[in-house]
Amino acid sequence: MLSHLSTCLLIAAMVLSHMSTAKRTCFTSLRLKTISGYEERDIPDFEISSFLGICSKAKKDCPGRLLEHVKNIFGPEVNPMTGNTSLRMCELFGREILPSDDPDVDVSYKVSNCGNEGYMGIGRLCCFKCKAGPYTFFHPIDNCAPTARPAWCL
């Protein structure tokens, strides 16, 4: 009897151990939409763990944690995009993005092995691409407000 009970407890412990490590990956990327089309850049993914119902949890948590995930990577100035957040995103896309391009950024997601995907709009992104000698840098345009190129930004 004790041997049978020990075996049942061992099997239960193994099943619970396996269930507690159930994980899904939330694959993420940023998509820049402009009047000339789309550009997509991968960003780090994140994992979702659950004791039970991993797909139902992942389908809720993946989109539910997207904005926080983007803020952790790029900074808190999202929607509207300003400051260092704009700068880091402009560097990621590596191009000049003007208000006349009608630019919007979405973060897209796809949950591994759960059949759930979508996107969330996170704001407008604009920046000048400037050159100083051999160096190239980006100057964000806060809130994509129409503005003239600064004289020092060639």
Side-chain angles (χ1 to χ4, degrees):
M1 173 95 163
L2 186 56
S3 174
H4 181 67
L5 180 59
S6 297
T7 303
C8 287
L9 288 174
L10 179 61
I11 291 171
M14 288 172 45
V15 168
L16 289 176
S17 172
H18 176 72
M19 289 171 62
S20 67
T21 61
K23 295 180 182 178
R24 291 292 182 265
T25 301
C26 185
F27 297 104
T28 57
S29 62
L30 289 182
R31 182 174 68 172
L32 173 66
K33 298 183 300 185
T34 65
I35 57 173
S36 60
Y38 296 92
E39 289 183 46
E40 195 157 345
R41 299 289 188 273
D42 283 334
I43 60 173
D45 307 319
F46 62 93
E47 286 190 341
I48 297 167
S49 301
S50 179
F51 182 68
L52 293 172
I54 185 64
C55 273
S56 61
K57 181 171 175 35
K59 286 179 179 182
K60 181 182 78 167
D61 285 359
C62 187
R65 290 175 40 196
L66 276 178
L67 189 57
E68 174 188 340
H69 181 66
V70 170
K71 288 179 178 183
N72 288 338
I73 295 169
F74 293 98
E77 301 96 2
V78 176
N79 210 0
M81 251 180 266
T82 59
N84 284 334
T85 298
S86 293
L87 177 61
R88 294 181 73 198
M89 286 193 186
C90 288
E91 290 170 347
L92 177 71
F93 287 104
R95 58 168 276 203
E96 184 163 271
I97 308 164
L98 301 175
S100 60
D101 293 324
D102 195 23
D104 279 305
V105 177
D106 298 329
V107 59
S108 63
Y109 66 90
K110 183 175 183 177
V111 181
S112 64
N113 301 319
C114 288
N116 191 37
E117 58 186 277
Y119 64 91
M120 172 192 302
I122 58 171
R124 294 173 48 83
L125 175 67
C126 295
C127 53
F128 292 115
K129 184 175 183 178
C130 307
K131 295 187 181 215
Y135 303 102
T136 299
F137 60 97
F138 295 91
H139 176 71
I141 305 169
D142 285 347
N143 301 314
C144 286
T147 186
R149 179 182 298 278
W152 51 265
C153 179
L154 306 175

Coordinates of all heavy atoms in Angstrom, one line a residue, residues 73-130:
I73 N 11.9 48.3 -23.0 CA 13.0 48.3 -24.0 C 13.4 49.7 -24.4 O 14.6 50.1 -24.4 CB 12.5 47.5 -25.2 CG1 12.3 46.1 -24.9 CG2 13.6 47.6 -26.3 CD1 11.6 45.3 -26.0
F74 N 12.4 50.6 -24.7 CA 12.7 51.9 -25.3 C 12.6 53.1 -24.3 O 13.1 54.2 -24.6 CB 11.8 52.1 -26.5 CG 12.1 51.2 -27.6 CD1 11.3 50.0 -27.8 CD2 13.1 51.4 -28.5 CE1 11.6 49.2 -28.8 CE2 13.4 50.6 -29.5 CZ 12.7 49.4 -29.7
G75 N 11.9 52.9 -23.2 CA 11.7 54.1 -22.3 C 10.2 54.4 -22.2 O 9.3 53.9 -23.0
P76 N 9.8 55.1 -21.2 CA 8.4 55.3 -20.8 C 7.7 56.3 -21.7 O 6.5 56.4 -21.6 CB 8.5 55.9 -19.4 CG 9.8 56.5 -19.3 CD 10.7 55.7 -20.2
E77 N 8.4 57.1 -22.6 CA 7.7 58.1 -23.3 C 7.0 57.6 -24.6 O 7.4 57.9 -25.7 CB 8.7 59.2 -23.7 CG 9.4 59.9 -22.6 CD 10.8 59.3 -22.3 OE1 11.2 58.4 -23.0 OE2 11.4 59.7 -21.3
V78 N 6.0 56.7 -24.4 CA 5.3 56.1 -25.5 C 3.9 56.7 -25.4 O 3.3 56.8 -24.4 CB 5.3 54.6 -25.3 CG1 4.4 53.9 -26.4 CG2 6.7 54.0 -25.4
N79 N 3.4 57.0 -26.6 CA 2.0 57.4 -26.8 C 1.6 58.6 -26.0 O 0.8 58.5 -25.0 CB 1.0 56.2 -26.6 CG -0.2 56.4 -27.5 OD1 -0.4 57.3 -28.2 ND2 -1.1 55.4 -27.3
P80 N 2.1 59.8 -26.2 CA 2.9 60.2 -27.4 C 4.3 59.9 -27.2 O 4.8 59.9 -26.1 CB 2.6 61.7 -27.5 CG 2.4 62.1 -26.1 CD 1.7 61.0 -25.4
M81 N 5.0 59.6 -28.3 CA 6.4 59.2 -28.3 C 7.2 60.5 -28.3 O 7.1 61.4 -29.1 CB 6.8 58.4 -29.5 CG 7.1 57.0 -29.2 SD 7.5 56.1 -30.7 CE 5.8 55.5 -31.1
T82 N 8.1 60.6 -27.3 CA 9.0 61.8 -27.1 C 10.3 61.3 -26.6 O 10.5 60.1 -26.2 CB 8.4 62.8 -26.1 OG1 8.2 62.1 -24.9 CG2 7.0 63.3 -26.6
G83 N 11.2 62.3 -26.5 CA 12.5 62.1 -25.8 C 13.3 60.9 -26.3 O 13.4 60.6 -27.5
N84 N 13.9 60.2 -25.3 CA 14.8 59.0 -25.6 C 14.1 57.9 -26.2 O 14.7 57.1 -27.0 CB 15.5 58.5 -24.3 CG 16.6 59.5 -23.9 OD1 17.2 60.2 -24.7 ND2 16.9 59.5 -22.6
T85 N 12.8 57.7 -26.0 CA 12.0 56.7 -26.6 C 12.0 56.9 -28.1 O 12.3 56.0 -28.9 CB 10.6 56.6 -26.1 OG1 10.6 56.3 -24.7 CG2 9.7 55.6 -26.8
S86 N 11.7 58.1 -28.5 CA 11.7 58.5 -30.0 C 13.1 58.3 -30.6 O 13.3 57.7 -31.6 CB 11.3 59.9 -30.2 OG 10.0 60.1 -29.9
L87 N 14.1 58.7 -29.8 CA 15.5 58.6 -30.3 C 15.9 57.1 -30.6 O 16.4 56.7 -31.6 CB 16.5 59.2 -29.3 CG 17.9 59.1 -29.7 CD1 18.2 59.8 -31.0 CD2 18.8 59.7 -28.6
R88 N 15.6 56.3 -29.6 CA 15.9 54.9 -29.7 C 15.1 54.2 -30.8 O 15.7 53.3 -31.5 CB 15.7 54.2 -28.4 CG 16.7 54.7 -27.3 CD 16.6 54.1 -26.0 NE 17.1 52.7 -26.1 CZ 16.9 51.8 -25.2 NH1 16.1 52.0 -24.2 NH2 17.4 50.6 -25.4
M89 N 13.9 54.5 -31.0 CA 13.1 53.9 -32.1 C 13.6 54.4 -33.5 O 13.7 53.7 -34.4 CB 11.6 54.2 -31.9 CG 11.0 53.3 -30.8 SD 9.2 53.4 -30.9 CE 8.8 52.5 -29.4
C90 N 14.0 55.7 -33.5 CA 14.5 56.2 -34.8 C 15.8 55.5 -35.1 O 16.0 55.2 -36.3 CB 14.7 57.7 -34.7 SG 13.2 58.7 -34.7
E91 N 16.6 55.3 -34.1 CA 17.9 54.5 -34.4 C 17.6 53.1 -34.8 O 18.3 52.6 -35.7 CB 18.7 54.5 -33.1 CG 19.3 55.9 -32.8 CD 20.0 55.9 -31.4 OE1 19.8 55.0 -30.6 OE2 20.7 56.9 -31.2
L92 N 16.5 52.5 -34.3 CA 16.2 51.1 -34.7 C 15.8 51.1 -36.2 O 16.2 50.2 -36.9 CB 15.0 50.6 -33.9 CG 14.5 49.2 -34.2 CD1 15.5 48.2 -33.8 CD2 13.2 49.0 -33.5
F93 N 15.0 52.1 -36.6 CA 14.6 52.1 -38.0 C 15.6 52.7 -38.9 O 15.7 52.4 -40.1 CB 13.2 52.8 -38.2 CG 12.1 52.0 -37.7 CD1 11.5 52.3 -36.5 CD2 11.6 50.9 -38.4 CE1 10.4 51.5 -36.0 CE2 10.6 50.1 -37.9 CZ 10.0 50.5 -36.7
G94 N 16.5 53.5 -38.4 CA 17.7 54.0 -39.1 C 17.4 54.8 -40.3 O 18.2 54.8 -41.3
R95 N 16.4 55.6 -40.3 CA 16.0 56.5 -41.4 C 15.3 57.7 -40.9 O 14.8 57.8 -39.8 CB 15.2 55.7 -42.4 CG 13.9 55.2 -41.8 CD 12.9 54.8 -42.8 NE 12.1 55.9 -43.3 CZ 10.9 55.8 -43.8 NH1 10.4 54.6 -44.0 NH2 10.3 56.9 -44.2
E96 N 15.3 58.7 -41.8 CA 14.6 59.9 -41.5 C 13.1 59.7 -41.7 O 12.7 59.0 -42.6 CB 15.0 61.1 -42.4 CG 14.4 62.4 -42.1 CD 15.1 63.5 -42.8 OE1 16.0 64.1 -42.1 OE2 14.8 63.9 -43.9
I97 N 12.3 60.1 -40.7 CA 10.8 59.9 -40.7 C 10.2 61.3 -40.5 O 10.3 61.8 -39.4 CB 10.4 58.9 -39.7 CG1 11.2 57.6 -39.8 CG2 8.9 58.6 -39.8 CD1 11.1 56.7 -38.6
L98 N 9.6 61.8 -41.5 CA 9.0 63.2 -41.4 C 7.5 63.1 -41.1 O 6.8 62.2 -41.5 CB 9.3 64.0 -42.6 CG 10.8 64.1 -43.0 CD1 10.9 64.8 -44.3 CD2 11.5 64.9 -41.9
P99 N 7.0 64.2 -40.5 CA 5.5 64.3 -40.3 C 4.7 64.1 -41.6 O 3.6 63.5 -41.6 CB 5.3 65.7 -39.7 CG 6.6 66.0 -39.0 CD 7.6 65.4 -39.9
S100 N 5.3 64.5 -42.7 CA 4.6 64.4 -44.0 C 4.5 62.9 -44.5 O 3.7 62.5 -45.4 CB 5.3 65.2 -45.1 OG 6.6 64.8 -45.2
D101 N 5.3 62.0 -43.8 CA 5.2 60.6 -44.1 C 4.0 59.9 -43.5 O 3.8 58.7 -43.7 CB 6.5 59.9 -43.6 CG 7.7 60.3 -44.4 OD1 7.7 60.5 -45.6 OD2 8.8 60.3 -43.7
D102 N 3.3 60.6 -42.6 CA 2.1 60.1 -41.9 C 2.5 58.8 -41.2 O 1.8 57.8 -41.3 CB 0.9 59.9 -42.9 CG -0.4 59.7 -42.1 OD1 -0.5 60.2 -40.9 OD2 -1.3 59.1 -42.7
P103 N 3.5 58.9 -40.3 CA 4.0 57.7 -39.7 C 3.3 57.3 -38.4 O 3.0 58.1 -37.6 CB 5.5 58.1 -39.3 CG 5.4 59.5 -39.0 CD 4.3 60.1 -39.9
D104 N 3.1 56.0 -38.3 CA 2.6 55.4 -37.1 C 3.4 54.1 -36.8 O 3.8 53.4 -37.7 CB 1.1 55.0 -37.2 CG 0.2 56.1 -37.1 OD1 0.2 56.8 -36.0 OD2 -0.7 56.4 -38.0
V105 N 3.5 53.8 -35.5 CA 4.2 52.6 -35.1 C 3.3 51.7 -34.3 O 2.5 52.1 -33.5 CB 5.4 52.9 -34.1 CG1 6.1 51.7 -33.7 CG2 6.4 53.8 -34.9
D106 N 3.3 50.4 -34.7 CA 2.5 49.4 -34.1 C 3.5 48.4 -33.5 O 4.6 48.2 -34.0 CB 1.7 48.6 -35.1 CG 0.6 49.4 -35.8 OD1 0.1 50.3 -35.2 OD2 0.3 49.1 -36.9
V107 N 3.2 47.8 -32.4 CA 3.9 46.6 -31.9 C 3.1 45.4 -32.2 O 1.9 45.4 -31.9 CB 4.3 46.7 -30.4 CG1 3.1 46.9 -29.5 CG2 5.1 45.6 -29.9
S108 N 3.7 44.4 -32.9 CA 2.9 43.2 -33.2 C 3.3 42.1 -32.3 O 4.5 42.1 -31.8 CB 3.1 42.9 -34.7 OG 4.4 42.6 -35.0
Y109 N 2.5 41.1 -32.2 CA 2.8 40.0 -31.3 C 2.2 38.7 -31.9 O 1.3 38.7 -32.7 CB 2.2 40.2 -29.9 CG 0.7 40.2 -29.9 CD1 -0.1 39.0 -29.7 CD2 0.0 41.4 -30.1 CE1 -1.5 39.1 -29.7 CE2 -1.4 41.4 -30.1 CZ -2.1 40.2 -29.9 OH -3.5 40.3 -29.9
K110 N 2.8 37.6 -31.6 CA 2.4 36.3 -31.9 C 2.7 35.3 -30.8 O 3.9 35.3 -30.4 CB 3.0 35.8 -33.2 CG 2.5 34.5 -33.7 CD 3.0 34.1 -35.1 CE 2.4 32.8 -35.5 NZ 2.9 32.5 -36.9
V111 N 1.8 34.6 -30.3 CA 2.0 33.7 -29.2 C 2.4 32.3 -29.8 O 1.7 31.8 -30.6 CB 0.7 33.5 -28.3 CG1 1.0 32.6 -27.2 CG2 0.3 34.9 -27.8
S112 N 3.5 31.8 -29.3 CA 3.9 30.5 -29.8 C 3.0 29.4 -29.5 O 2.5 29.3 -28.3 CB 5.3 30.1 -29.2 OG 5.3 30.0 -27.8
N113 N 2.6 28.6 -30.5 CA 1.8 27.4 -30.3 C 0.4 27.6 -29.7 O -0.1 26.7 -29.1 CB 2.5 26.3 -29.5 CG 3.9 25.9 -30.1 OD1 3.9 25.8 -31.3 ND2 4.9 25.8 -29.3
C114 N -0.1 28.8 -29.8 CA -1.4 29.1 -29.3 C -2.4 29.7 -30.4 O -3.5 29.9 -30.1 CB -1.4 30.0 -28.1 SG -0.7 29.2 -26.6
G115 N -1.8 30.0 -31.5 CA -2.7 30.6 -32.6 C -3.3 31.9 -32.3 O -4.4 32.2 -32.7
N116 N -2.5 32.8 -31.6 CA -3.0 34.1 -31.3 C -2.0 35.1 -31.8 O -0.8 35.1 -31.4 CB -3.2 34.2 -29.8 CG -4.0 35.5 -29.4 OD1 -4.9 35.9 -30.1 ND2 -3.6 36.1 -28.3
E117 N -2.4 36.1 -32.5 CA -1.5 37.2 -33.0 C -2.4 38.4 -33.2 O -3.6 38.4 -33.4 CB -0.8 36.8 -34.2 CG -1.6 36.4 -35.4 CD -0.7 35.9 -36.6 OE1 -0.2 36.7 -37.3 OE2 -0.6 34.6 -36.7
G118 N -1.6 39.6 -33.3 CA -2.3 40.8 -33.5 C -1.3 42.0 -33.4 O -0.1 41.7 -33.4
Y119 N -1.8 43.2 -33.2 CA -0.9 44.3 -33.1 C -1.7 45.4 -32.3 O -2.9 45.4 -32.1 CB -0.5 44.9 -34.4 CG -1.6 45.4 -35.3 CD1 -1.9 46.7 -35.2 CD2 -2.3 44.6 -36.1 CE1 -3.0 47.2 -36.0 CE2 -3.3 45.1 -36.9 CZ -3.6 46.4 -36.8 OH -4.7 46.9 -37.6
M120 N -0.8 46.3 -31.8 CA -1.4 47.4 -31.0 C -0.7 48.7 -31.5 O 0.6 48.7 -31.5 CB -1.1 47.2 -29.5 CG -1.4 48.4 -28.6 SD -0.7 48.2 -26.9 CE -1.5 46.7 -26.4
G121 N -1.4 49.7 -31.8 CA -0.8 51.0 -32.1 C -0.2 51.7 -30.9 O -0.8 51.7 -29.8
I122 N 1.0 52.2 -31.0 CA 1.7 52.8 -29.9 C 2.1 54.2 -30.1 O 2.6 54.9 -29.2 CB 2.9 52.0 -29.4 CG1 4.0 51.8 -30.5 CG2 2.5 50.6 -28.9 CD1 5.3 51.3 -30.0
G123 N 1.9 54.8 -31.3 CA 2.1 56.2 -31.4 C 2.8 56.6 -32.7 O 3.1 55.7 -33.6
R124 N 2.9 57.9 -32.9 CA 3.6 58.4 -34.1 C 5.1 58.6 -33.8 O 5.4 59.0 -32.7 CB 2.9 59.7 -34.5 CG 1.5 59.5 -34.9 CD 0.7 60.8 -35.2 NE 1.4 61.8 -36.0 CZ 1.4 61.8 -37.3 NH1 0.8 60.8 -38.0 NH2 2.0 62.8 -38.0
L125 N 5.9 58.4 -34.8 CA 7.3 58.5 -34.7 C 7.9 59.3 -35.8 O 7.7 59.0 -37.0 CB 8.0 57.1 -34.7 CG 9.5 57.0 -34.7 CD1 10.0 57.6 -33.3 CD2 10.0 55.6 -34.9
C126 N 8.6 60.4 -35.5 CA 9.2 61.3 -36.5 C 10.6 61.7 -36.0 O 10.8 61.9 -34.8 CB 8.4 62.5 -36.7 SG 6.8 62.2 -37.4
C127 N 11.5 61.8 -37.0 CA 12.9 62.2 -36.6 C 13.6 62.7 -37.9 O 13.3 62.2 -39.0 CB 13.7 61.1 -35.9 SG 13.7 59.6 -36.8
F128 N 14.5 63.6 -37.7 CA 15.4 64.0 -38.7 C 16.7 63.2 -38.6 O 17.1 62.8 -37.5 CB 15.9 65.5 -38.5 CG 14.8 66.5 -38.7 CD1 14.3 67.3 -37.7 CD2 14.2 66.7 -40.0 CE1 13.3 68.2 -37.9 CE2 13.2 67.6 -40.2 CZ 12.8 68.4 -39.1
K129 N 17.2 62.8 -39.8 CA 18.5 62.1 -39.8 C 19.6 63.2 -40.1 O 19.5 63.8 -41.2 CB 18.5 61.1 -40.9 CG 19.7 60.2 -41.0 CD 19.6 59.1 -42.0 CE 20.8 58.2 -42.0 NZ 20.6 57.1 -43.0
C130 N 20.5 63.4 -39.2 CA 21.5 64.4 -39.3 C 22.9 63.8 -39.5 O 23.2 62.8 -39.0 CB 21.4 65.3 -38.0 SG 19.8 65.9 -37.6

